[in-house]
C-alpha cells in the first residue's frame, strides 16, 4: 500500500485494518415468540423439506397470513434458508406473505370466481355488488376457476364454497360466520365394500391376480390418461414398472382448467372407486409411496380422502404402501405433472425440462407413476367387466367412455358420462336438455381454456383425442363450455388469456411475457392480427410446458372462426 493510500485509509476509515465483530449474526433474526408459535403449530410433525407447503398452510390457517417473523422461524425450525421458505410462500396465491411494516389482510377473504363459466353467469356484477356491501373487515378478491362451473357463479367465503351465489346470500354467510366447508354425502368404505368393493384389490394383494394380467387388460381396454394428455394407461404402467426401483406414485387431483370439475365430483360421490384403482396401480408398479395432490379449492375432498385412507390402513388394505394427501396452494401450473411433483417436494411449482420424463425421474428422483383421478376411477370397472366392455363403447369410430364437464349456456350443466366420440350437438341435446331459453348455439370450448374455441358449424366433430387438432383445438380434460349468440368470442378469448397471464409460473420468457403482452393487445379496440399471430406462434414454439404452448389457441380461434366479433 502506498503512503498516500495509507493516509486515506487512516483519515476516512479509522477502523481500517481491524476485524469487525458483530454483536448479532447477519440477516433477519428469529423472534423467540414467533419460533415458539411455529413449534406449537408443528407439534410432533416431521420437519422434512417436502413438508414445507403443508407447514405453511398450518401458519396461514391459524393466523390468516404468513408474517416475516413466522417465515423466519419456520426456516430455522426446518433447517432451511429464509430465502427458500420465502420463495415458496410467495409463489402460491393462497398464501398471504406480509413483510415488515405491511398491514395483514382482513380476517375474512371472499374469493369470487371470474373464470369463463362464472363470468357468463354474472361474476362481474357480483364482484361489484359485494364491493359495495362488504366492510373493512372483509377482503374481496377475484379468483380463478374453483371447479364448480356447473353451478356458477361461485364464491368462496373463507373455506365455504357457495354456488349459484348472489350478494345477499354471501353477505348473510359473512354476518353469520358461515366460513367452513361442508362434507357431502358420499359412498364410504362400508357401503363401497358391500357392493363388491376391494375384492379386486384383495385378489391382487393375495397374488390371485398377476401384474401382467392387470396391465395387459388395461392395454387391451385402450384406456388413456384422462387428465388431458391421453397417454395409454397400460403402457405407462408397464414403462414405470420397467425402470429399476424404488418407484413412487403420484395422483393429480389439481384440475384447475377452467370448465373442469369431473374429478372433484367423482371424489365427493364415490371416492373408494378411485382409491381402489390407485392402490392397484401402486401395487402393479411396486411403488414405495403414493402422494395424492388435491387442489386447495377442494377442502371437502381432502378431508374425505384422509378419513377413508385411515380406514383403509386399519383394514390392512394399504399393503405397506405409504400414502400421503398433499394440499395445493392455488397454482394452476401444478396440474402439469412435473410442476405437481416439484410442489409435492415442497418447492415452487415450476415445470421441469424434459427429458428425463417423470416415469423415469420423478418424485425424489425416482421412477414415478403419475395418473389423474378419472383414469384410476375406471380401473376397477375395466378389470371386473373386461377390457372389451370399455373399448366396446364409443361413437363415430372412437373407443371408451369419457366424462365431460359441461357448463355455460345449457339448461342442465354438469358431469356427463357419455361414449367417447360423441359430438357437442348430441351432448347438448341428449345430455344437457338443450340450450337455455332464448339462447342459440354459437360456439364451444372442447377442452377448457387451453383447448381453443370452435364454432357451432363444427359441432358435429367427434369429441375425443386426436379429432380436433386439425382445427387448431384439442379435447384435453373434456371441459366443454357452451356459448350462445349473446356471447362475444373476443371477450371470451380475453377472459381466457387473462387466466393464463395470472397463472403463468414465470419460469420461461415466452409464456411470462407473451401472455402479458397478449392481454394488452387483446384489450385494444382493434386487434393487431399480424402481431398477435406472431406472438401466439412464439409462445407455442418456445414455452417450456403446455400452459404457454396452448395459451395462443383462443387468439387463433377467434382470428380463424369469429372475425365478425372483432369488428
Amino acid at each position: 500500500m502506498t503512503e498516500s493510500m495509507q493516509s486515506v485509509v487512516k483519515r476516512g476509515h479509522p477502523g481500517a485494518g481491524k476485524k469487525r465483530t458483530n454483536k448479532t449474526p447477519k440477516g433477519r433474526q428469529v423472534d423467540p415468540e414467533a419460533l415458539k408459535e411455529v413449534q406449537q403449530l408443528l407439534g410432533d410433525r416431521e420437519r422434512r423439506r417436502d413438508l414445507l407447503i403443508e407447514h405453511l398452510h398450518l401458519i396461514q390457517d391459524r393466523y390468516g397470513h404468513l408474517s416475516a417473523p413466522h417465515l423466519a422461524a419456520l426456516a430455522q425450525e426446518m433447517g432451511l434458508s429464509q430465502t427458500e421458505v420465502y420463495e415458496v410462500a410467495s409463489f402460491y396465491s393462497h398464501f398471504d406473505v406480509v413483510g415488515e411494516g405491511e398491514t395483514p389482510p382482513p380476517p375474512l377473504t371472499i374469493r369470487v370466481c371470474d373464470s369463463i363459466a362464472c363470468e357468463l353467469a354474472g361474476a362481474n356484477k357480483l364482484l361489484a355488488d359485494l364491493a359495495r356491501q362488504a366492510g373493512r373487515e372483509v377482503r374481496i378478491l377475484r379468483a380463478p376457476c374453483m371447479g364448480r362451473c356447473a353451478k356458477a357463479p361461485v364464491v368462496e367465503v373463507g373455506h365455504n364454497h357457495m354456488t349459484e351465489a348472489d350478494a345477499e346470500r354471501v353477505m348473510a354467510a359473512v354476518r353469520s360466520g358461515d366460513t367452513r366447508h361442508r362434507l357431502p354425502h358420499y359412498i364410504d368404505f362400508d357401503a363401497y365394500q358391500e357392493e363388491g368393493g376391494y375384492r379386486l384389490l384383495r385378489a391382487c394383494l393375495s397374488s390371485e391376480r398377476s401384474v401382467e394380467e392387470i396391465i395387459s387388460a388395461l392395454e387391451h381396454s385402450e384406456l388413456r390418461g384422462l387428465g388431458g394428455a391421453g397417454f395409454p394407461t397400460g403402457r405407462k404402467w408397464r414403462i414405470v414398472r420397467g425402470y429399476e426401483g424404488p418407484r413412487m406414485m403420484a395422483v393429480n387431483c389439481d384440475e384447475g382448467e377452467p370448465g373442469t370439475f369431473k374429478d372433484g365430483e367423482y371424489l365427493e360421490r364415490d371416492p373408494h372407486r378411485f382409491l381402489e384403482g390407485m392402490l392397484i396401480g401402486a401395487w402393479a408398479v411396486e411403488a414405495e409411496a403414493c402422494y395424492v395432490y388435491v387442489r386447495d379449492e377442494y377442502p371437502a375432498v381432502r378431508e374425505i380422502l384422509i378419513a377413508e385412507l385411515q380406514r383403509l390402513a386399519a383394514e390392512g388394505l394399504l399393503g405397506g404402501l405409504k400414502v400421503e394427501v398433499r394440499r395445493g396452494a392455488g397454482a394452476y401450473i401444478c396440474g402439469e405433472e412435473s410442476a405437481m411433483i416439484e410442489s409435492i417436494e415442497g418447492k415452487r411449482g415450476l415445470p421441469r425440462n424434459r427429458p428425463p420424463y417423470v416415469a423415469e425421474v420423478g418424485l425424489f428422483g425416482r421412477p414415478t407413476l403419475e395418473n389423474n383421478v378419472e383414469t384410476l376411477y375406471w380401473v376397477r370397472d375395466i378389470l371386473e367387466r373386461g377390457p372389451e366392455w370399455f373399448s366396446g363403447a364409443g361413437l363415430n369410430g372412437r373407443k371408451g367412455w369419457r366424462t365431460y364437464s359441461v357448463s355455460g349456456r345449457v339448461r342442465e350443466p354438469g358431469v356427463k358420462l357419455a361414449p367417447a366420440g360423441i359430438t357437442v350437438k348430441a351432448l347438448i341435446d341428449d345430455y344437457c336438455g338443450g340450450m337455455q331459453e332464448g339462447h342459440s348455439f354459437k360456439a364451444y370450448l372442447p377442452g377448457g381454456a387451453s383447448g381453443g374455441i370452435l364454432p357451432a358449424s363444427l359441432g358435429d366433430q367427434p369429441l375425443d383425442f386426436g379429432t380436433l387438432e386439425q382445427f387448431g383445438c384439442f379435447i384435453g380434460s373434456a371441459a366443454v363450455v357452451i356459448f350462445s349468440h349473446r356471447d362475444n368470442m373476443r371477450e371470451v378469448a380475453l377472459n381466457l388469456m387473462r387466466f393464463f397471464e395470472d397463472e403463468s409460473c414465470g419460469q420461461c420468457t415466452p409464456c411470462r411475457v407473451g401472455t402479458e403482452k397478449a392481454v394488452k393487445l387483446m384489450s385494444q379496440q382493434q386487434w393487431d392480427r399480424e402481431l398477435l399471430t406472431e406472438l401466439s406462434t412464439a409462445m407455442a414454439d418456445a414455452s417450456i410446458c403446455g400452459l404457454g404452448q396452448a395459451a395462443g389457441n383462443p387468439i387463433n380461434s377467434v382470428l380463424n372462426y369469429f372475425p365478425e366479433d372483432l369488428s
Side-chain angles (χ1 to χ4, degrees), residues 456-522:
S457 60
L458 292 175
D460 291 319
Q461 297 300 316
L463 294 174
D464 198 18
F465 297 114
T467 61
L468 305 176
E469 282 75 1
Q470 60 182 314
F471 306 110
C473 297
F474 56 81
I475 186 67
S477 60
V480 182
V481 184
I482 307 299
F483 304 106
S484 79
H485 69 287
R486 299 187 184 184
D487 302 315
N488 184 291
M489 294 305 104
R490 167 187 172 140
E491 296 303 318
V492 169
L494 180 56
N495 176 286
L496 303 180
M497 189 58 70
R498 283 176 174 149
F499 170 80
F500 291 131
E501 179 190 19
D502 289 341
E503 296 296 334
S504 173
C505 74
Q507 180 178 197
C508 67
T509 302
C511 177
R512 181 185 68 250
V513 177
T515 53
E516 178 187 359
K517 298 300 181 185
V519 167
K520 291 179 179 178
L521 290 169
M522 296 166 72

Side-chain angles (χ1 to χ4, degrees), residues 217-529:
L218 291 178
E219 288 174 332
H220 286 109
S221 74
E222 301 188 49
L223 174 68
R224 301 174 69 170
L226 300 175
F231 193 86
T233 302
R235 190 195 309 174
K236 178 183 282 190
W237 288 24
R238 190 178 296 280
I239 288 171
V240 173
R241 184 175 171 81
Y243 286 114
E244 184 178 352
R247 307 178 193 91
M248 311 292 283
M249 184 174 184
V251 179
N252 190 337
C253 183
D254 193 62
E255 54 174 1
E257 182 79 19
T260 310
F261 47 92
K262 58 186 176 65
D263 289 353
E265 181 158 328
Y266 278 144
L267 291 174
E268 288 188 349
R269 189 174 69 199
D270 192 4
H272 284 280
R273 193 169 299 271
F274 149 73
L275 286 170
E276 185 167 11
M278 178 190 79
L279 294 175
I280 291 171
W283 165 82
V285 302
E286 297 179 351
E288 281 193 351
C290 177
Y291 293 80
V292 185
Y293 191 86
V294 181
R295 66 182 310 206
D296 200 28
E297 291 85 350
Y298 288 173
V301 166
R302 190 171 64 254
E303 186 174 340
I304 289 169
L305 291 178
I306 291 173
E308 297 305 316
L309 282 167
Q310 290 174 347
R311 178 66 187 276
L312 290 175
E315 296 288 336
L317 287 172
L318 297 187
L321 178 71
K322 171 187 173 184
V323 183
E324 292 192 26
V325 178
R326 289 297 177 84
R327 179 179 175 184
Y332 164 72
I333 192 63
C334 290
E336 196 276 339
E337 62 175 3
S338 66
M340 177 189 71
I341 283 175
E342 289 286 299
S343 189
I344 292 173
E345 292 180 355
K347 306 171 187 174
R348 293 176 295 165
L350 301 179
R352 299 176 179 177
N353 286 307
R354 289 169 288 186
Y357 294 92
V358 166
E360 180 182 5
V361 182
L363 266 171
F364 311 113
R366 299 175 180 179
T368 301
L369 174 63
E370 189 276 340
N371 281 135
N372 107 297
V373 169
E374 189 195 351
T375 307
L376 297 171
Y377 186 88
W378 285 113
V379 168
R380 175 191 167 190
D381 282 330
I382 289 172
L383 296 177
E384 289 186 343
R385 302 188 185 195
E388 295 78 13
W389 165 81
F390 188 84
S391 62
L395 296 171
N396 300 308
R398 315 308 297 178
K399 295 184 178 181
W401 294 95
R402 287 300 302 266
T403 305
Y404 299 91
S405 305
V406 187
S407 60
R409 305 297 193 183
V410 292
R411 290 179 185 269
E412 301 168 10
V415 170
K416 310 295 179 180
L417 177 60
I422 191 172
T423 68
V424 72
K425 288 183 178 178
L427 198 60
I428 293 170
D429 293 337
D430 299 339
Y431 289 80
C432 300
M435 297 292 292
Q436 292 177 359
E437 186 71 27
H439 292 264
S440 58
F441 180 37
K442 175 181 178 178
Y444 65 106
L445 304 182
S450 56
I453 312 170
L454 289 174
S457 60
L458 292 175
D460 291 319
Q461 297 300 316
L463 294 174
D464 198 18
F465 297 114
T467 61
L468 305 176
E469 282 75 1
Q470 60 182 314
F471 306 110
C473 297
F474 56 81
I475 186 67
S477 60
V480 182
V481 184
I482 307 299
F483 304 106
S484 79
H485 69 287
R486 299 187 184 184
D487 302 315
N488 184 291
M489 294 305 104
R490 167 187 172 140
E491 296 303 318
V492 169
L494 180 56
N495 176 286
L496 303 180
M497 189 58 70
R498 283 176 174 149
F499 170 80
F500 291 131
E501 179 190 19
D502 289 341
E503 296 296 334
S504 173
C505 74
Q507 180 178 197
C508 67
T509 302
C511 177
R512 181 185 68 250
V513 177
T515 53
E516 178 187 359
K517 298 300 181 185
V519 167
K520 291 179 179 178
L521 290 169
M522 296 166 72
S523 299
Q524 295 177 3
Q525 186 172 358
Q526 295 293 326
W527 277 21
D528 187 327
R529 174 184 289 266

